[in-house]
């Protein structure tokens, strides 16, 4: 439980010097007080400390050589959002000194920043990726196992603006998440896609106003206003593993061919052209194969766009795509072992070897 410091601290009513600073981590600022005071306050100049805060706080004897930090909290639930607002620093402290977190509120966050929602599809590492988003000024939430973007959107209940970020995105600079605007229902930010080395704004990083959710729920009868933000906010690893490499490319092909979003319609040919020209690693080749498979499905008689919106269905398609290749590879490897054994037993000029060699060449050509 977090409380104001006044009632929960032992004090001898010795007020320590207060240094207002832009860098509370710079301990050299306390050096000049070393001979006159045992402690100095380092206060971040950007924050106002509560009037009720007890500046006479005195550490317990067993913690007297530790740096004590006091949190900035959310006003409603008193949840800490920052621990670098106010420090009580022993004047003999070093950069190796241990930091003790104190349950006494230094300040409240006056302006609540938009919450961040991290979403993933068919991802066993979802929790790990969620934990990588260390955003002290935002509340962060995880959306997983929803199988489609429609279900992701349906799980957003905030009546305030919010961020929606793919868990595979690495944000370049978290300060970019200070963006806010009501000029559109949804903003899509430029993201570097690792597979094709292409920069474009899609569903990877979105800033969403509540009006967009009202449109999706049918409470507002109009088309959403969508704007693209040119800031390259991060990089998405869309070739993290074989399934993702294939499935994301498959999904991207379908999405680009069905979207009404103007900036993506303009980029479609360029993006898909880069996919089709990919060569190199197995993951990159699978990304190209995903586009090729999507193109085949889209031209088939049983094509229904909604069939590829569910990531469970995409996973089944991927397994079906991979199975013949895996079987063929296993058969080819077994044939190669038989060929080598036949060579040892009968020699390279034997009929047995020549017959098996022809079979092996046909197998290699069909791979």
């Amino acid at each position: 439980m977090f409380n104001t410091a006044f009632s929960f601290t032992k004090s001898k009513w010795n007020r320590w010097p207060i240094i207002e600073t832009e860098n509370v981590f710079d301990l050299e600022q306390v050096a000049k007080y070393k001979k006159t005071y045992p402690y100095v306050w380092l206060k971040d100049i950007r924050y106002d400390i509560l009037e009720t805060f007890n500046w006479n706080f005195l550490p317990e004897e067993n913690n007297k050589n530790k740096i004590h930090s006091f949190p900035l909290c959310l006003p409603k639930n008193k949840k800490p959002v920052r621990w670098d607002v106010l420090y009580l620093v022993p004047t003999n402290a070093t950069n190796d000194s241990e930091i003790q977190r104190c349950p006494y509120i230094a300040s409240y966050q006056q302006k609540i920043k938009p919450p961040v929602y991290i979403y993933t599809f068919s991802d066993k590492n979802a929790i790990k990726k969620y934990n990588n988003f260390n955003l002290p000024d935002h509340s962060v939430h995880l959306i997983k196992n929803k199988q489609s973007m429609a279900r992701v959107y349906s799980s957003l209940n905030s009546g305030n603006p919010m961020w929606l970020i793919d868990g595979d995105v690495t944000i370049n600079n978290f300060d970019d998440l200070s963006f806010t605007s009501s000029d559109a229902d949804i903003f899509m930010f430029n993201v570097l896609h690792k597979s094709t080395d292409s920069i474009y704004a899609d569903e990877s990083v979105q800033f969403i106003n509540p009006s967009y959710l009202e449109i999706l729920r049918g409470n507002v009868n109009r088309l959403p206003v969508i704007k693209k933000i040119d800031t390259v906010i991060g990089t998405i690893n869309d070739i993290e593993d074989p399934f993702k490499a294939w499935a994301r490319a498959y999904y991207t092909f379908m999405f680009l061919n069905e979207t009404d979003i103007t900036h993506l319609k303009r980029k479609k040919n360029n993006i898909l052209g880069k996919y089709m020209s990919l060569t190199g690693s197995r993951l990159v080749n699978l990304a190209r194969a995903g586009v090729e498979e999507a193109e085949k499905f889209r031209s088939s008689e049983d094509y229904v766009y909604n069939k590829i919106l569910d990531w469970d269905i995409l996973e089944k398609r991927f397994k079906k795509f991979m199975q013949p290749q895996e079987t063929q590879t296993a058969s080819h490897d077994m044939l190669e072992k038989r060929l080598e054994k036949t060579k040892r037993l009968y020699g390279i000029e034997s009929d047995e070897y020549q017959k098996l060699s022809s079979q092996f060449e046909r197998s290699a050509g069909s791979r």
Side-chain angles (χ1 to χ4, degrees), residues 143-282:
I143 301 173
K144 62 175 183 175
N145 300 326
K146 294 297 182 183
Q147 278 70 54
S148 70
M149 284 304 300
R151 294 180 186 181
V152 170
Y153 288 130
S154 68
S155 66
L156 300 173
N157 296 314
S158 175
N160 299 306
M162 70 208 80
W163 288 95
L164 185 60
I165 303 175
D166 192 308
D168 288 327
V169 171
T170 300
I171 300 295
N172 295 334
N173 185 352
F174 286 127
D175 287 343
D176 288 334
L177 299 183
S178 62
F179 173 89
T180 182
S181 175
S182 57
D183 291 342
D185 300 302
I186 183 170
F187 296 86
M188 292 183 169
F189 281 72
N190 269 339
V191 171
L192 173 63
H193 292 70
K194 195 171 180 180
S195 58
T196 57
D197 200 33
S198 298
I199 293 173
Y200 55 93
D202 59 0
E203 298 166 322
S204 302
V205 179
Q206 306 169 69
F207 181 81
I208 300 172
N209 280 308
S211 55
Y212 184 67
L213 301 182
E214 293 302 308
I215 293 169
L216 292 182
R217 292 166 184 152
N219 297 332
V220 178
N221 186 21
R222 65 174 175 84
L223 293 174
V225 177
I226 300 172
K227 287 189 177 181
K228 179 176 74 76
I229 303 298
D230 289 332
T231 301
V232 182
I233 202 166
T235 300
I236 182 168
N237 185 359
D238 51 353
I239 48 172
E240 182 183 32
D241 57 48
F243 170 62
K244 285 234 178 120
W246 186 90
R248 283 187 181 277
Y250 193 112
Y251 181 91
T252 300
F253 177 88
M254 295 299 187
F255 179 66
L256 290 177
N257 277 287
E258 299 291 335
T259 186
D260 290 326
I261 302 172
T262 304
H263 71 266
L264 286 171
K265 288 171 69 175
R266 290 172 181 164
K267 280 259 187 180
K268 181 185 77 171
N269 292 336
N270 180 266
I271 295 167
L272 296 181
K274 286 189 175 182
Y275 269 117
M276 297 302 287
S277 63
L278 289 174
T279 56
S281 70
R282 179 179 179 232

Side-chain angles (χ1 to χ4, degrees), residues 6 84 104 124 168 183 337 365:
F6 186 81
D84 56 356
Y104 313 134
K124 62 184 179 181
D168 288 327
D183 291 342
K337 291 178 181 178

